[in-house]
Amino acid sequence: MNDLRHLIAERPCLLLDFDGPVCAVFAGISSRHVAEQLGAAMGVTLPDHLGATSDPFELLQYAAQISEDVAVATERELTRLEVEAVAVATPTPHAHDVIREAAGRDGGSVAIVSNNSVAAITAYLRTHGLQTYVSGIYARTSAATPLKPSPHLLEAALAGLRTDARTASFTGDSVTDLLAADSATLPAIAYANKPGKVERFAPFAPAVTITSMSALLDAVRGESISQ
């Protein structure tokens, strides 16, 4: 795991996904509840698999297939529900320290790159006093925002921070994160925060896989890493 320490030491720009690496967005208000609310707000009969989904983003994708108006209304409702959810979200252990310490490094910067809404991320950072440590939020602003696995948001982060893929890394907890990082030619730090994710991530060859954000915190501090 010293590979992680070297990776972080050589790349002062730390890009983080939000839901997972920073907090559990739907810990207080479940993703299933959010999906049910979204489905009801869409006002259409959903296919059986979507009627039972716990993934709000599946519904957002489906809304885009119906019409632009439905997509806009669904995205607006999802943003509202996300802002509600982050008010009672559970911080990921060690994540806030990672943000503070990474931002405080010589030449260091931190940005959030997420499929969640800018409004929800901003609300969370403000609530937890983290906004001054985060140099940018690159996330969903409308139904038209290209979401991961598209590299669009990662590329926007690099451009906005005036850096490039050689000086940055991206930490995410999903296959879509790994695909986006690969497309953006960024080394991915795969956060395997649930059973089975280490094995699920392996075929996508992340630069490093961690099972706790404490490993990333140790790397940011330049300490030897043990898991």
Side-chain angles (χ1 to χ4, degrees):
M1 290 301 293
N2 280 333
D3 288 348
L4 177 58
R5 181 170 60 83
H6 295 313
L7 177 69
I8 294 300
E10 293 169 358
R11 294 171 179 267
C13 178
L14 185 66
L15 306 179
L16 297 171
D17 181 36
F18 182 62
D19 187 12
V22 177
C23 68
V25 171
F26 300 115
I29 298 176
S30 73
S31 58
R32 176 58 188 152
H33 172 76
V34 171
E36 288 174 341
Q37 295 287 102
L38 274 187
M42 288 169 68
V44 299
T45 301
L46 297 172
D48 288 345
H49 72 286
L50 287 179
T53 188
S54 293
D55 185 350
F57 292 100
E58 288 188 358
L59 293 170
L60 188 60
Q61 290 173 346
Y62 184 69
Q65 298 171 26
I66 299 172
S67 73
E68 182 179 350
D69 287 347
V70 172
V72 168
T74 302
E75 193 281 328
R76 187 182 299 121
E77 177 67 0
L78 177 55
T79 295
R80 185 187 71 78
L81 291 164
E82 285 175 332
V83 171
E84 266 187 36
V86 298
V88 289
T90 301
T92 299
H94 310 289
H96 293 187
D97 287 335
V98 167
I99 291 171
R100 293 187 187 99
E101 301 247 358
R105 293 190 300 166
D106 185 27
S109 61
V110 178
I112 306 297
V113 184
S114 172
N115 287 354
N116 294 115
S117 65
V118 168
I121 297 166
T122 300
Y124 180 89
L125 296 178
R126 185 181 299 119
T127 295
H128 293 277
L130 295 169
Q131 68 273 31
T132 59
Y133 299 96
V134 174
S135 298
I137 299 170
Y138 302 89
R140 197 182 76 248
T141 55
S142 75
T145 303
L147 303 180
K148 296 173 290 182
S150 165
H152 169 77
L153 292 171
L154 287 169
E155 291 169 349
L158 295 175
L161 297 170
R162 297 184 180 180
T163 188
D164 61 44
R166 294 170 297 179
T167 62
S169 64
F170 177 54
T171 300
D173 71 329
S174 69
V175 169
T176 56
D177 289 328
L178 303 184
L179 292 171
D182 183 63
S183 294
T185 66
L186 277 168
I189 300 168
Y191 175 39
N193 55 343
K194 293 179 182 177
K197 280 194 172 183
V198 171
E199 294 77 15
R200 194 183 316 158
F201 292 161
F204 299 92
V208 182
T209 300
I210 60 175
T211 57
S212 169
M213 290 296 283
S214 64
L216 186 54
L217 179 59
D218 287 345
V220 167
R221 288 173 170 169
E223 298 174 3
S224 59
I225 299 166
S226 60
Q227 291 202 70

